[in-house]
Amino acid sequence: EASADIFEISIHFALVEDKKMRLEAGVGVGTAELNLHLKGESTGRGISSEKSVPLSTFAINATVKRFLWSPLAFKLGYQYRSMSAIVVATDGFEPFIDVTLSSVHAVLIAGW
């Protein structure tokens, strides 16, 4: 069982601002609280580790301000997070050597 609680703060910059569209990019820093509870398959040895590691983020978002009709907007974005490596191993398995998380999101925004 492995989990991560992510806390971050970021700054976003408008690269393009228009009546119809907005393009923005952001960078940020934070911390990831990694919780790991493993039991080795061949040795049966248990590992429990709770560590806090630094985190860096990058995001880019494009917003169409008038999507289909006036009160609707559409936002499409990508976010990438990279965490520092920590070495915790059992049976040759090292789960947190290169931890990255990326996501794509699409949001329909209704305003009035």
Side-chain angles (χ1 to χ4, degrees):
E1 178 183 320
S3 65
D5 294 326
I6 297 172
F7 304 97
E8 66 184 59
I9 186 166
S10 61
I11 297 173
H12 291 253
F13 306 96
L15 302 174
V16 175
E17 182 72 40
D18 192 299
K19 289 181 181 180
K20 296 181 181 183
M21 187 188 119
R22 176 184 172 100
L23 180 65
E24 64 183 45
V27 294
V29 294
T31 183
E33 304 288 333
L34 302 174
N35 299 315
L36 174 69
H37 304 287
L38 278 180
K39 188 172 186 180
E41 287 184 17
S42 63
T43 62
R45 196 180 98 215
I47 287 182
S48 183
S49 175
E50 296 179 7
K51 298 199 178 189
S52 177
V53 296
L55 165 79
S56 61
T57 66
F58 170 75
I60 189 158
N61 296 301
T63 304
V64 177
K65 293 181 179 180
R66 292 183 183 180
F67 184 69
L68 301 178
W69 61 86
S70 183
L72 288 181
F74 180 72
K75 185 176 193 177
L76 183 64
Y78 171 77
Q79 186 165 23
Y80 176 82
R81 294 179 179 100
S82 179
M83 300 166 217
S84 303
I86 60 171
V87 178
V88 174
T90 178
D91 296 341
F93 176 62
E94 298 176 346
F96 293 130
I97 289 301
D98 185 20
V99 181
T100 59
L101 174 66
S102 60
S103 61
V104 175
H105 56 274
V107 180
L108 187 61
I109 303 166
W112 51 91

